């Protein structure tokens, strides 16, 4: 009898322990897909965001980041989050411009070329961006810019003649089209494959920020960086709407607070690092120069055409956003 009671007791204790463990491990795990290097500020801020959510959600949600395209490659992240294959991810917004022109507004050439204007353009376009994402089954969390975009070339580029025929690495429709207009040969390549592409000669030029060239040690393959400041593209962090709706309201609040923190840090960090990257280029022997007037004129002529094209595609909605931006 004594023995039986003991084993019953043991059993109920064991059950209670299992239950408690069950509650403790009930934290949902979200894998967060990131395309850029773990050491890039976008990824570092995403990691801090994930930690803040994990720490503050009272054990209900654990977000784990996967940088460098290790969960999904950059070009797969948007559709993966839409389809719920990943509940959360970060994507370069303008890479989606073929889906909807509103995604391309931050890459309209020479529309916003510094951080202050870029912030205004973001604020002016945010309601339309959030709405477009909502219609696609996504919840928008935050958006952080890349530093101003410059031109990388293996050849010295003083005149448009100098760059004709160069193989050009593109990351969105705008960069592809500019390359075409300037007689270069564009190919889309994600940053994860960038060093390889330049090492093997698949790419010989590109438009990007100092940040991406720094992450991929492009000084090993490219000698010239021209500080064009053509635009500041942004990344955004998005959540699958079904996954979002399944969360308790208090967890949603924790996420929104962490998003606001991440965004604030991200804008400050991008501005702080913009010139630093270019100094690092110089230290590694790259020639960093302003763009020549002739080259700038060529970029601006291509930019004008693309701006007009964007306005036509974006119609009334686009015109309203531009108007709001210009009033800010
Ligand atoms: N880096 C990213 C997007 C813009 C940027 O500065 C890239 O080159 O893919």
């Amino acid at each position: 009898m004594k023995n039986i009671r003991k084993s019953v007791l043991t059993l109920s204790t064991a059950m209670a322990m299992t239950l408690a463990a069950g509650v403790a491990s009930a934290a949902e795990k979200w894998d967060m897909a990131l395309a850029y290097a773990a050491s890039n500020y976008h990824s570092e801020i995403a990691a801090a965001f994930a930690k803040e959510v994990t720490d503050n959600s009272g054990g209900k949600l654990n977000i784990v980041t996967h940088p460098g395209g290790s969960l999904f490659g950059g070009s797969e992240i948007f559709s993966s989050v839409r389809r719920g294959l990943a509940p959360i991810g970060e994507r370069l917004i303008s890479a989606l411009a073929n889906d909807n022109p509103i995604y391309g507004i931050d890459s309209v050439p020479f529309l916003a070329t510094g951080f202050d204007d870029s912030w205004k353009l973001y604020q002016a376009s945010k309601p339309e961006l959030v709405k477009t994402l909502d219609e696609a089954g996504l919840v928008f969390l935050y958006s952080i810019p890349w530093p101003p975009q410059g031109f990388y070339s293996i050849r010295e580029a003083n005149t448009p003649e100098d760059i004709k025929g160069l193989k050009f690495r593109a990351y969105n429709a705008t960069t592809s089209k500019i390359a075409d207009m300037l007689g270069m040969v564009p190919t889309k390549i994600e940053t994860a494959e960038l060093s390889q592409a330049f090492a093997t000669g698949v790419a010989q030029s590109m438009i990007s920020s100092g940040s991406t060239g720094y992450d991929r040690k492009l000084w090993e393959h490219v000698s010239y960086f021209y500080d064009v400041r053509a635009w500041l593209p942004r990344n955004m962090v998005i959540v699958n709407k079904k996954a979002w709706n399944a969360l308790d309201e208090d967890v949603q609040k924790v996420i929104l607070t962490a998003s606001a923190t991440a965004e604030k840090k991200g804008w400050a960090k991008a501005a702080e690092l913009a010139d630093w990257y270019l100094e690092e280029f110089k230290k590694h022997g790259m020639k960093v120069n302003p763009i020549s007037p002739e080259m700038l004129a060529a970029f601006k002529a291509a930019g004008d055409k693309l701006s007009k094209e964007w306005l036509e595609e974006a119609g009334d909605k686009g015109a309203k956003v531009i108007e709001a931006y210009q009033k800010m």
Side-chain angles (χ1 to χ4, degrees):
M1 183 63 197
K2 213 176 162 198
N3 267 349
I4 291 178
R5 193 179 300 139
K6 191 176 171 215
S7 63
V8 168
L9 260 182
T10 313
L11 191 65
S12 58
T13 311
M15 277 172 69
M17 281 172 68
T18 312
L19 271 177
V23 170
S25 67
E28 184 160 3
K29 182 181 168 223
W30 274 12
D31 288 307
M32 182 171 186
L34 306 173
Y36 303 99
S39 59
N40 183 275
Y41 66 93
H42 287 280
S43 304
E44 286 179 349
I45 287 166
F49 157 84
K51 186 176 183 306
E52 186 178 331
V53 172
T54 303
D55 288 349
N56 294 350
S57 67
K60 287 187 186 169
L61 182 63
N62 174 19
I63 302 185
V64 179
T65 55
H66 300 268
S70 55
L71 185 62
F72 291 106
S75 62
E76 302 162 331
I77 291 177
F78 185 74
S79 62
S80 300
V81 178
R82 266 189 93 169
R83 292 158 63 201
L85 300 177
I88 184 167
E90 179 189 56
R91 181 58 175 150
L92 178 69
I93 309 175
S94 61
L96 307 161
N98 287 338
D99 284 11
N100 191 313
I102 197 69
Y103 295 136
I105 197 168
D106 63 21
S107 299
V108 173
F110 304 104
L111 179 60
T113 60
F115 284 97
D116 289 349
D117 279 348
S118 172
W119 175 258
K120 286 180 191 164
L121 186 59
Y122 169 36
Q123 295 312 307
S125 57
K126 191 172 168 184
E128 203 50 50
L129 172 67
V130 172
K131 191 167 154 249
T132 307
L133 289 166
D134 179 67
E135 284 161 6
L138 294 161
V139 176
F140 169 85
L141 290 187
Y142 68 84
S143 180
I144 291 174
W146 290 93
Q149 303 292 289
F151 180 63
Y152 292 77
S153 171
I154 60 160
R155 274 192 228 143
E156 189 167 2
N158 293 319
T159 74
E161 273 311 306
D162 297 334
I163 61 169
K164 291 239 159 82
L166 281 181
K167 290 181 198 154
F168 178 95
R169 174 268 170 164
Y171 64 71
N172 65 9
T174 300
T175 49
S176 273
K177 287 178 190 167
I178 291 187
D180 261 338
M181 287 174 186
L182 299 185
M184 293 181 282
V185 187
T187 327
K188 281 237 173 89
I189 299 169
E190 290 293 325
T191 52
E193 279 86 51
L194 210 52
S195 311
Q196 173 83 353
F198 276 93
T200 55
V202 169
Q204 302 173 306
S205 60
M206 72 170 178
I207 290 174
S208 186
S209 62
S211 179
T212 291
Y214 175 82
D215 288 345
R216 300 298 162 194
K217 296 194 170 63
L218 278 204
W219 52 82
E220 290 177 358
H221 316 290
V222 181
S223 304
Y224 300 93
F225 178 84
Y226 296 96
D227 195 7
V228 188
R229 307 194 181 189
W231 64 85
L232 286 77
R234 284 182 285 114
N235 288 349
M236 64 179 169
V237 170
I238 46 173
V239 171
N240 177 281
K241 211 200 274 186
K242 272 194 197 146
W244 176 260
N245 289 339
L247 294 174
D248 290 349
E249 213 175 301
D250 57 331
V251 178
Q252 292 178 342
K253 275 197 193 136
V254 167
I255 294 180
L256 294 178
T257 304
S259 299
T261 309
E263 186 167 279
K264 199 161 171 236
K265 274 199 283 188
W267 281 78
K269 203 73 195 164
E272 178 194 320
L273 289 173
D275 291 339
W276 182 86
Y277 289 126
L278 306 190
E279 289 308 313
E280 287 296 306
F281 285 176
K282 288 181 201 161
K283 277 189 206 160
H284 286 96
M286 253 172 116
K287 295 196 176 67
V288 177
N289 285 309
I291 190 90
S292 72
E294 264 185 82
M295 281 289 289
L296 183 61
F299 274 115
K300 289 222 159 151
D304 274 353
K305 275 193 201 156
L306 290 173
S307 308
K308 287 190 187 114
E309 215 179 282
W310 185 87
L311 273 171
E312 268 168 36
E313 279 175 28
D316 276 356
K317 279 184 194 168
K320 275 191 195 138
V321 170
I322 299 289
E323 206 182 302
Y325 165 62
Q326 280 161 347
K327 279 194 197 142
M328 284 177 133

